[in-house]
């Protein structure tokens, strides 16, 4: 009979563990748990439910960088060379969620007690929570939302890394293009200096004209050196970042504008953080309310079982206010989503307007450069015909060089803004490859 009593206690605990998530009175979702599930999508559950909506959305993201292009090669190299600290955080969060997914099972631990006769009695204590106001379900929801937050952080980190890498690659291209144009401009300006120097030596021009030309040459030489240094620095940083060098030029500079229907990563993160905040509030609320548990103790002297009613925190005069504060914290967590969505809309509108502005500037500077080039050809022809002084030609040529530089700057700004938009939306790396 002594053997039957421990077996009976174990059988009782096993049956109670089934009641914890099975019987409607104990397993049915409270209003707080329903809210967590409704707002958080599919959380990790012991039964193994579907993947969360946030993670599914991340996995479906596709890169705007076309395959078989140098842009995609730079992106893949950047992702491959990443230390991926955020990936380790995601793995840790997934393991925590897996651990929490079993929190509905009975807990088993040793127990040691001292009898009235001074003897120590060792045994095994088995405890199963029957009703906890949704605490354990909320703990599972919290762990699942923690995985979502870590997943979004990983996507943000990888997209920002690709943005940095492609931005460095573009900085190298821009520096090269500026330096190459300044080199051609210097060659032409040196020819103007030769003509002015001859006129000065012949007494046809003042020495100040030669000083003006020398000043313009020094400015162009400095601009060329600055552009070369910028290109060299960007490439050195990109090589240090990826371990590779990229000498190929893109077939098309433009990346394309990301679709405005794609949700910002910041909004996805705010949703995951809000889900976690709501779950945390449910956990806090449950800690202020009583819970019912069944306990069984198996020792060498026999076994026993019973029900317990306890509080994680004692009731006090401030308990009501504490419960209200928890409810307000849930509302605050939900409102963070709205604020994040507003910030995302403002950021998208601002970047789209900047993109339109730089596209307009690209077209305008190209048109102005064409006009300056035509004027320069006219002035040069007039100078060669003896109808215009050389300094007029020098001035119009300097204007042409400046407008060409403005055109180069504007067209690269367009690509950088497109790159920033794609990064904010998580469209610089395939979600299932991160």
């Amino acid at each position: 009979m002594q053997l039957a009593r421990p077996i009976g206690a174990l059988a009782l605990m096993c049956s109670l563990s089934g009641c914890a998530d099975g019987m409607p009175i104990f397993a049915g979702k409270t209003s707080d748990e329903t809210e967590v599930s409704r707002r958080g999508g599919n959380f990790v559950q012991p039964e193994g439910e579907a993947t969360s909506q946030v993670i599914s959305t991340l996995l479906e993201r596709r890169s705007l960088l076309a395959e078989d292009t140098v842009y995609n090669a730079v992106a893949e190299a950047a992702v491959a060379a990443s230390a991926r600290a955020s990936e380790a955080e995601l793995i840790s969060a997934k393991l925590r969620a897996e651990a929490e997914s079993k929190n509905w099972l009975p807990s088993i631990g040793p127990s040691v007690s001292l009898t009235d006769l001074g003897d120590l009695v060792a045994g095994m204590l088995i405890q199963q929570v029957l009703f906890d106001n949704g605490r354990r379900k909320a703990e599972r929801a919290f762990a699942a939302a923690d995985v979502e937050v870590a997943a979004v952080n990983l996507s943000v980190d990888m997209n920002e890394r690709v943005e940095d890498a492609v931005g460095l690659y573009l900085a190298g291209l821009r520096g090269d293009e500026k330096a190459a144009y300044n080199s051609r401009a210097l060659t032409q300006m040196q020819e103007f200096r030769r003509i002015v120097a001859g006129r000065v030596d012949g007494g046809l021009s003042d020495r100040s004209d030669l000083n003006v030309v020398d000043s313009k040459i020094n400015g162009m030489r400095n601009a060329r050196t600055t552009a070369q240094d910028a290109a060299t620095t960007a490439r050195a940083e990109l090589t240090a970042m990826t371990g590779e060098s990229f000498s190929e030029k893109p077939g098309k500079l433009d990346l394309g504008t990301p679709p405005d229907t794609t949700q910002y990563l910041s909004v996805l993160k705010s949703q995951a953080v809000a889900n976690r905040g709501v779950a945390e509030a449910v956990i806090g609320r449950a800690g202020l309310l009583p819970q019912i548990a069944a306990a069984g103790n198996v020792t060498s002297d026999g076994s026993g079982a019973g029900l317990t009613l306890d509080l994680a925190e004692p009731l006090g005069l401030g308990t009501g206010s504490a419960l209200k504060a928890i409810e307000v914290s849930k509302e605050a967590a939900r409102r963070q989503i709205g604020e994040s969505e507003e910030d995302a809309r403002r950021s998208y509108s601002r970047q789209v307007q900047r993109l339109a502005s730089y596209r307009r500037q690209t077209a305008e500077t190209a048109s102005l450069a064409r006009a300056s080039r035509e004027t320069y050809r006219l002035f040069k022809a007039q100078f060669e015909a003896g109808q215009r002084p050389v300094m007029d030609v020098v001035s119009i040529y300097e204007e042409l060089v400046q407008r060409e530089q403005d055109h180069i700057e504007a067209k690269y700004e367009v690509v950088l803004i497109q790159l920033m938009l794609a990064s904010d939306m998580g469209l610089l790396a395939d979600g299932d490859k991160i």
Side-chain angles (χ1 to χ4, degrees), residues 121-342:
V121 178
M124 187 69 69
L125 178 64
I126 307 172
Q127 189 175 37
Q128 171 65 47
V129 175
L130 302 179
F131 179 69
D132 61 358
N133 291 282
R135 181 185 182 89
R136 279 165 176 75
K137 285 180 180 279
E139 287 174 349
R140 297 195 291 272
F142 181 90
D146 210 27
V147 173
E148 294 176 345
V149 173
V152 178
N153 284 334
L154 175 60
S155 182
V156 170
D157 288 349
M158 292 300 102
N159 276 274
E160 288 181 349
R161 182 175 176 82
V162 172
E163 180 187 3
D164 290 342
V166 177
L168 290 171
Y169 171 75
L170 289 170
L173 292 180
R174 178 172 56 186
D176 285 346
E177 190 168 346
K178 283 187 171 183
Y181 189 84
N182 275 315
S183 293
R184 295 193 297 271
L186 273 171
T187 301
Q188 179 60 59
M189 196 61 74
Q190 291 285 1
E191 177 62 19
F192 286 139
R193 187 190 189 282
R194 184 189 65 79
I195 296 173
V196 173
R199 292 176 63 84
V200 170
D201 292 340
L204 300 176
S205 295
D206 189 80
R207 183 74 187 179
S208 61
D209 291 344
L210 186 60
N211 292 337
V212 170
V213 175
D214 285 339
S215 176
K216 296 180 186 299
I217 289 175
N218 290 333
M220 289 183 180
R221 186 178 289 116
N222 180 67
R224 182 184 63 178
T225 303
T226 301
Q228 290 173 339
D229 290 344
T232 301
T233 301
R235 288 202 173 91
E237 188 175 349
L238 180 59
T239 301
M241 182 180 187
T242 64
E244 301 180 28
S245 58
F246 304 90
S247 57
E248 180 185 354
K249 293 185 178 180
K252 183 178 69 170
L253 191 63
D254 194 272
L255 294 178
T257 305
D260 58 358
T261 55
T262 305
Q263 202 170 32
Y264 267 47
L265 289 179
S266 59
V267 176
L268 286 177
K269 182 175 180 178
S270 70
Q271 290 175 350
V273 170
N275 292 336
R276 189 172 62 179
V278 172
E280 186 176 15
V282 174
I283 294 172
R285 175 181 177 276
L288 297 174
L289 299 175
Q291 72 171 16
I292 302 173
N297 193 16
V298 181
T299 67
S300 56
D301 293 339
S303 63
L307 296 176
T308 61
L309 176 66
D310 60 3
L311 288 169
E313 295 184 14
L315 296 176
L317 296 177
T319 301
S321 297
L323 289 171
K324 292 179 180 179
I326 290 173
E327 292 299 320
V328 173
S329 70
K330 291 194 291 185
E331 180 61 26
R334 298 178 191 122
R335 292 187 181 185
Q336 290 176 358
I337 300 177
E339 291 181 356
S340 180
E341 290 174 342
E342 179 184 342

Side-chain angles (χ1 to χ4, degrees), residues 2 14 26 32-33 45 78 138 162 179 181 205-206 219 296 322 353 425:
Q2 291 182 352
C14 291
F26 296 133
D32 293 326
E33 295 158 10
Q45 297 292 339
V162 172
Y181 189 84
S205 295
D206 189 80
Q353 291 301 317
M425 295 180 181

